[in-house]
Amino acid sequence: MRPQTQQQIPLDTNTDFLRRHARGMLRSAHSDQPSKALPIVRRVHTARAFPMPRLTELYHARAKLQLKHMFRTLAAELGYASWDACKRDIDRRPSEILDRFRLDLGAFGDHEHVWFADQPTAAAWQRQHGGRMVVYGSQAVMMPA
């Protein structure tokens, strides 16, 4: 008789995580609550993932946003020219590349975070105090290691 082992649950790939995250972004963008919708609409506008010249226009047209616009936004935020380019490469990258999105989802809790306006300042603090840096746009967050 073989000893019983716990069933191994496969970890999500980076692509799987991004697909789930994009669906959540779309739900938020379609929300009637400005506090949920506006942050996502801003990201879509900044990434130029939907052809709308003004943020206010995009906010009022947010019902037209589709999953493909969320994918384009995520790809742009990760430095890719398109979602297809992102899909081809992202699973080869370390999972830490998605920590910025995990931070948005509250995966690291909301305590013991130290925010910095830029990465060089965060890196200087990290050399002195240690911790783990998560890049968040042009800013950075330091968390305990």
Side-chain angles (χ1 to χ4, degrees):
M1 185 172 185
R2 291 185 349 200
Q4 283 189 331
T5 59
Q6 285 186 334
Q7 183 178 1
Q8 294 293 322
I9 299 170
L11 296 175
D12 282 346
T13 65
N14 289 344
T15 303
D16 292 337
F17 174 85
L18 289 173
R19 287 176 200 268
R20 264 196 336 278
H21 191 57
R23 286 191 293 275
M25 287 173 61
L26 185 61
R27 279 191 301 277
S28 293
H30 288 164
S31 174
D32 291 334
Q33 298 176 20
S35 63
K36 284 186 178 181
L38 193 53
I40 303 302
V41 171
R42 269 194 198 112
R43 289 171 62 186
V44 171
H45 186 260
T46 300
R48 301 183 192 276
F50 189 89
M52 192 72 63
R54 299 187 56 198
L55 178 60
T56 54
E57 293 171 6
L58 180 55
Y59 178 78
H60 293 295
R62 69 187 184 280
K64 295 180 181 180
L65 290 173
Q66 298 175 21
L67 194 55
K68 67 182 179 182
H69 301 116
M70 302 305 117
F71 288 141
R72 288 179 195 155
T73 299
L74 290 170
E77 290 175 346
L78 289 165
Y80 294 96
S82 69
W83 173 245
D84 286 335
C86 181
K87 279 192 312 187
R88 282 192 300 274
D89 181 63
I90 198 69
D91 287 329
R92 290 182 244 170
R93 310 265 317 263
S95 66
E96 290 80 18
I97 194 164
L98 304 179
D99 280 352
R100 178 229 192 261
F101 307 117
R102 290 184 183 97
L103 186 67
D104 284 343
L105 297 172
F108 302 113
D110 59 356
H111 61 285
E112 297 187 29
H113 297 166
V114 182
W115 283 83
F116 295 90
D118 57 49
Q119 292 176 43
T121 306
W125 190 91
Q126 182 182 36
R127 283 190 295 278
Q128 192 172 23
H129 302 282
R132 180 169 168 222
M133 183 187 316
V134 175
V135 176
Y136 194 96
S138 62
Q139 299 177 353
V141 181
M142 293 300 303
M143 297 180 289

Coordinates of all heavy atoms in Angstrom, one line a residue, residues 57-103:
E57 N -14.1 61.4 -21.0 CA -14.8 60.7 -22.1 C -14.8 59.2 -21.9 O -15.8 58.5 -22.1 CB -14.3 61.1 -23.5 CG -14.5 62.5 -23.8 CD -13.8 62.9 -25.1 OE1 -13.2 62.0 -25.8 OE2 -13.8 64.1 -25.4
L58 N -13.6 58.7 -21.6 CA -13.4 57.3 -21.4 C -14.2 56.8 -20.2 O -14.8 55.7 -20.2 CB -11.9 56.9 -21.3 CG -11.6 55.4 -21.1 CD1 -12.2 54.5 -22.2 CD2 -10.1 55.2 -20.9
Y59 N -14.2 57.6 -19.1 CA -15.0 57.2 -17.9 C -16.4 57.0 -18.3 O -17.1 56.1 -17.9 CB -14.8 58.2 -16.8 CG -15.6 57.9 -15.6 CD1 -15.2 56.9 -14.7 CD2 -16.8 58.5 -15.4 CE1 -15.9 56.5 -13.6 CE2 -17.6 58.2 -14.2 CZ -17.1 57.2 -13.4 OH -17.9 56.8 -12.3
H60 N -17.0 58.0 -19.0 CA -18.4 57.9 -19.4 C -18.7 56.8 -20.4 O -19.9 56.4 -20.5 CB -18.9 59.3 -19.9 CG -18.9 60.3 -18.8 ND1 -19.7 60.2 -17.7 CD2 -18.2 61.4 -18.6 CE1 -19.5 61.2 -16.9 NE2 -18.5 62.0 -17.4
A61 N -17.7 56.4 -21.2 CA -17.9 55.3 -22.2 C -17.3 54.0 -21.6 O -17.2 53.0 -22.4 CB -17.1 55.7 -23.4
R62 N -17.1 53.8 -20.3 CA -16.4 52.6 -19.8 C -17.2 51.4 -20.0 O -16.6 50.3 -20.0 CB -16.1 52.8 -18.3 CG -17.3 52.9 -17.4 CD -16.9 53.3 -16.0 NE -18.0 53.2 -15.1 CZ -18.9 54.2 -14.9 NH1 -18.8 55.3 -15.7 NH2 -19.9 54.1 -14.1
A63 N -18.5 51.4 -20.3 CA -19.3 50.2 -20.6 C -18.8 49.6 -21.9 O -19.1 48.4 -22.1 CB -20.8 50.6 -20.7
K64 N -18.2 50.3 -22.7 CA -17.6 49.8 -24.0 C -16.3 49.0 -23.8 O -15.8 48.4 -24.7 CB -17.4 50.9 -25.0 CG -18.7 51.5 -25.4 CD -18.5 52.6 -26.4 CE -19.8 53.3 -26.8 NZ -19.6 54.4 -27.8
L65 N -15.7 49.2 -22.6 CA -14.4 48.5 -22.4 C -14.6 47.0 -22.4 O -15.6 46.5 -21.9 CB -13.8 48.9 -21.0 CG -13.3 50.4 -21.0 CD1 -12.9 50.7 -19.6 CD2 -12.1 50.5 -21.9
Q66 N -13.7 46.3 -23.0 CA -13.7 44.8 -23.1 C -12.5 44.2 -22.4 O -11.5 44.9 -22.1 CB -13.8 44.4 -24.5 CG -15.0 44.9 -25.2 CD -15.0 44.6 -26.7 OE1 -14.3 43.7 -27.2 NE2 -15.8 45.3 -27.5
L67 N -12.5 42.9 -22.3 CA -11.4 42.2 -21.7 C -10.1 42.5 -22.5 O -9.0 42.7 -21.9 CB -11.7 40.7 -21.7 CG -10.7 39.9 -20.8 CD1 -10.7 40.4 -19.4 CD2 -11.2 38.4 -20.9
K68 N -10.1 42.6 -23.8 CA -9.0 42.9 -24.6 C -8.3 44.2 -24.2 O -7.1 44.3 -24.3 CB -9.3 42.9 -26.1 CG -10.2 44.0 -26.6 CD -10.5 43.9 -28.1 CE -11.4 45.0 -28.5 NZ -11.7 44.9 -30.0
H69 N -9.1 45.2 -23.8 CA -8.5 46.5 -23.3 C -7.7 46.3 -22.0 O -6.7 46.9 -21.8 CB -9.6 47.5 -23.2 CG -10.3 47.7 -24.5 ND1 -11.7 47.4 -24.6 CD2 -9.9 48.2 -25.7 CE1 -12.0 47.7 -25.9 NE2 -11.0 48.1 -26.5
M70 N -8.2 45.4 -21.1 CA -7.5 45.1 -19.9 C -6.2 44.4 -20.2 O -5.2 44.7 -19.6 CB -8.4 44.3 -18.9 CG -9.7 44.9 -18.6 SD -9.7 46.6 -17.9 CE -10.5 47.5 -19.1
F71 N -6.3 43.5 -21.1 CA -5.0 42.8 -21.5 C -4.0 43.7 -22.0 O -2.8 43.7 -21.7 CB -5.3 41.7 -22.5 CG -6.0 40.5 -21.9 CD1 -7.0 39.8 -22.7 CD2 -5.7 40.0 -20.7 CE1 -7.7 38.7 -22.2 CE2 -6.4 38.8 -20.2 CZ -7.3 38.2 -20.9
R72 N -4.4 44.6 -22.9 CA -3.5 45.6 -23.5 C -2.9 46.5 -22.4 O -1.8 46.9 -22.4 CB -4.2 46.5 -24.5 CG -4.6 45.8 -25.8 CD -5.3 46.8 -26.7 NE -5.9 46.0 -27.8 CZ -7.0 46.4 -28.5 NH1 -7.5 47.6 -28.2 NH2 -7.5 45.7 -29.5
T73 N -3.8 46.9 -21.4 CA -3.3 47.7 -20.3 C -2.2 47.0 -19.5 O -1.2 47.6 -19.2 CB -4.5 48.1 -19.4 OG1 -5.4 48.9 -20.2 CG2 -4.1 49.0 -18.2
L74 N -2.5 45.8 -19.1 CA -1.5 45.0 -18.4 C -0.2 44.8 -19.1 O 0.9 45.0 -18.6 CB -2.1 43.7 -17.9 CG -3.2 43.7 -16.9 CD1 -3.9 42.4 -16.7 CD2 -2.7 44.2 -15.6
A75 N -0.4 44.5 -20.4 CA 0.8 44.3 -21.2 C 1.7 45.6 -21.2 O 2.9 45.6 -21.1 CB 0.5 43.9 -22.6
A76 N 1.0 46.8 -21.4 CA 1.7 48.0 -21.5 C 2.4 48.3 -20.1 O 3.5 48.8 -20.1 CB 0.7 49.2 -21.9
E77 N 1.7 48.1 -19.1 CA 2.2 48.3 -17.7 C 3.4 47.4 -17.4 O 4.3 47.8 -16.7 CB 1.2 48.1 -16.7 CG 0.1 49.2 -16.7 CD -1.0 49.0 -15.7 OE1 -1.2 47.8 -15.2 OE2 -1.8 49.9 -15.5
L78 N 3.5 46.3 -18.1 CA 4.6 45.4 -17.9 C 5.7 45.7 -19.0 O 6.8 45.0 -19.0 CB 4.2 43.9 -18.0 CG 3.4 43.5 -16.8 CD1 2.6 42.2 -17.1 CD2 4.3 43.3 -15.6
G79 N 5.5 46.6 -19.8 CA 6.5 47.0 -20.8 C 6.5 46.3 -22.1 O 7.4 46.4 -22.9
Y80 N 5.4 45.7 -22.4 CA 5.2 45.0 -23.7 C 4.4 45.8 -24.7 O 3.5 46.6 -24.3 CB 4.5 43.6 -23.5 CG 5.3 42.7 -22.7 CD1 5.1 42.5 -21.4 CD2 6.3 41.9 -23.3 CE1 5.8 41.6 -20.6 CE2 7.0 41.0 -22.6 CZ 6.8 40.8 -21.3 OH 7.5 39.9 -20.5
A81 N 4.7 45.7 -26.0 CA 4.0 46.4 -27.0 C 2.5 45.9 -27.2 O 1.7 46.6 -27.7 CB 4.7 46.4 -28.3
S82 N 2.3 44.6 -26.9 CA 0.9 44.1 -27.1 C 0.7 42.9 -26.1 O 1.7 42.4 -25.5 CB 0.8 43.5 -28.5 OG 1.7 42.4 -28.7
W83 N -0.5 42.5 -26.0 CA -0.8 41.3 -25.2 C -0.2 40.1 -25.8 O 0.3 39.2 -25.0 CB -2.3 41.2 -25.0 CG -2.7 39.9 -24.3 CD1 -3.4 38.9 -24.8 CD2 -2.4 39.5 -23.0 NE1 -3.6 37.9 -23.9 CE2 -3.0 38.3 -22.7 CE3 -1.8 40.2 -21.9 CZ2 -2.9 37.6 -21.5 CZ3 -1.6 39.5 -20.7 CH2 -2.2 38.3 -20.5
D84 N -0.2 39.9 -27.1 CA 0.4 38.8 -27.7 C 1.9 38.6 -27.3 O 2.4 37.6 -27.0 CB 0.3 38.8 -29.2 CG -1.2 38.4 -29.6 OD1 -1.9 37.8 -28.9 OD2 -1.6 38.9 -30.7
A85 N 2.6 39.8 -27.4 CA 4.0 39.8 -27.0 C 4.2 39.4 -25.5 O 5.1 38.6 -25.2 CB 4.7 41.1 -27.3
C86 N 3.3 39.9 -24.7 CA 3.3 39.6 -23.3 C 3.1 38.1 -23.0 O 3.9 37.5 -22.3 CB 2.3 40.4 -22.5 SG 2.2 40.2 -20.8
K87 N 2.1 37.5 -23.7 CA 1.8 36.1 -23.5 C 3.0 35.2 -23.9 O 3.2 34.2 -23.3 CB 0.6 35.7 -24.4 CG -0.7 36.1 -23.8 CD -1.9 35.4 -24.6 CE -1.8 35.5 -26.0 NZ -2.9 35.1 -26.8
R88 N 3.7 35.6 -25.0 CA 4.8 34.8 -25.4 C 5.9 34.8 -24.4 O 6.7 33.8 -24.4 CB 5.3 35.3 -26.8 CG 4.4 34.9 -27.9 CD 5.1 35.2 -29.3 NE 5.5 36.6 -29.5 CZ 4.7 37.5 -30.0 NH1 3.4 37.2 -30.3 NH2 5.1 38.7 -30.2
D89 N 6.1 35.8 -23.6 CA 7.3 36.0 -22.8 C 7.0 35.9 -21.3 O 7.9 35.5 -20.6 CB 7.9 37.3 -23.1 CG 9.2 37.6 -22.3 OD1 10.2 36.8 -22.5 OD2 9.2 38.5 -21.5
I90 N 5.9 36.2 -20.8 CA 5.7 36.5 -19.4 C 5.9 35.2 -18.5 O 6.3 35.4 -17.4 CB 4.3 37.1 -19.1 CG1 4.3 37.8 -17.7 CG2 3.2 36.1 -19.3 CD1 5.1 39.0 -17.6
D91 N 5.6 34.1 -19.0 CA 5.7 32.9 -18.2 C 7.2 32.5 -18.0 O 7.5 31.7 -17.2 CB 4.9 31.7 -18.8 CG 3.5 31.9 -18.6 OD1 3.1 32.5 -17.6 OD2 2.7 31.4 -19.4
R92 N 8.1 33.1 -18.8 CA 9.5 32.8 -18.6 C 10.1 33.8 -17.6 O 11.3 33.6 -17.2 CB 10.3 33.0 -19.9 CG 9.9 31.9 -20.9 CD 10.7 32.2 -22.2 NE 9.7 32.4 -23.2 CZ 10.0 32.8 -24.4 NH1 11.2 33.1 -24.8 NH2 9.0 33.0 -25.3
R93 N 9.4 34.8 -17.2 CA 9.9 35.8 -16.2 C 9.5 35.3 -14.8 O 8.6 34.6 -14.6 CB 9.2 37.1 -16.5 CG 9.2 37.6 -17.9 CD 10.3 38.5 -18.3 NE 10.7 39.6 -17.5 CZ 10.3 40.9 -17.7 NH1 9.4 41.2 -18.6 NH2 10.7 41.8 -16.9
P94 N 10.3 35.8 -13.8 CA 10.0 35.4 -12.4 C 8.6 35.9 -12.0 O 8.2 37.0 -12.4 CB 11.1 36.0 -11.6 CG 11.8 37.0 -12.5 CD 11.4 36.6 -13.9
S95 N 8.0 35.2 -11.1 CA 6.6 35.6 -10.7 C 6.6 36.9 -10.0 O 5.6 37.6 -9.9 CB 6.0 34.5 -9.8 OG 6.7 34.4 -8.6
E96 N 7.8 37.3 -9.4 CA 7.9 38.6 -8.7 C 7.5 39.8 -9.6 O 7.2 40.9 -9.2 CB 9.2 38.8 -8.1 CG 9.5 37.9 -7.0 CD 10.0 36.5 -7.4 OE1 10.3 36.3 -8.5 OE2 9.9 35.6 -6.5
I97 N 7.6 39.6 -10.9 CA 7.3 40.7 -11.9 C 5.9 41.2 -11.7 O 5.5 42.3 -12.1 CB 7.6 40.3 -13.3 CG1 7.6 41.6 -14.2 CG2 6.7 39.3 -13.9 CD1 8.3 41.4 -15.5
L98 N 5.0 40.3 -11.2 CA 3.6 40.6 -11.0 C 3.3 41.1 -9.6 O 2.1 41.4 -9.3 CB 2.8 39.4 -11.4 CG 3.0 38.8 -12.7 CD1 2.1 37.6 -13.0 CD2 2.8 39.8 -13.8
D99 N 4.3 41.3 -8.8 CA 4.0 41.8 -7.4 C 3.3 43.1 -7.3 O 2.5 43.3 -6.4 CB 5.3 41.8 -6.6 CG 5.8 40.5 -6.1 OD1 5.0 39.5 -6.3 OD2 6.9 40.4 -5.6
R100 N 3.5 44.0 -8.3 CA 2.8 45.2 -8.3 C 1.3 45.0 -8.3 O 0.5 45.7 -7.6 CB 3.2 46.1 -9.5 CG 2.5 47.4 -9.7 CD 1.9 47.5 -11.1 NE 1.5 48.9 -11.3 CZ 0.2 49.2 -11.3 NH1 -0.7 48.4 -11.0 NH2 -0.2 50.5 -11.5
F101 N 0.8 44.0 -9.1 CA -0.6 43.7 -9.2 C -1.1 43.0 -8.0 O -2.2 43.2 -7.5 CB -0.9 42.9 -10.5 CG -0.3 43.5 -11.7 CD1 0.6 42.9 -12.5 CD2 -0.8 44.8 -12.1 CE1 1.1 43.6 -13.6 CE2 -0.3 45.4 -13.2 CZ 0.7 44.8 -14.0
R102 N -0.2 42.1 -7.4 CA -0.6 41.4 -6.2 C -0.7 42.4 -5.0 O -1.6 42.3 -4.2 CB 0.5 40.4 -5.8 CG 0.5 39.2 -6.8 CD 1.5 38.1 -6.3 NE 1.5 37.1 -7.3 CZ 2.3 36.9 -8.3 NH1 3.3 37.8 -8.5 NH2 2.2 35.9 -9.2
L103 N 0.1 43.5 -5.0 CA 0.0 44.5 -4.0 C -1.4 45.2 -4.1 O -2.0 45.5 -3.1 CB 1.1 45.6 -4.2 CG 1.2 46.7 -3.2 CD1 1.7 46.1 -1.9 CD2 2.2 47.7 -3.7

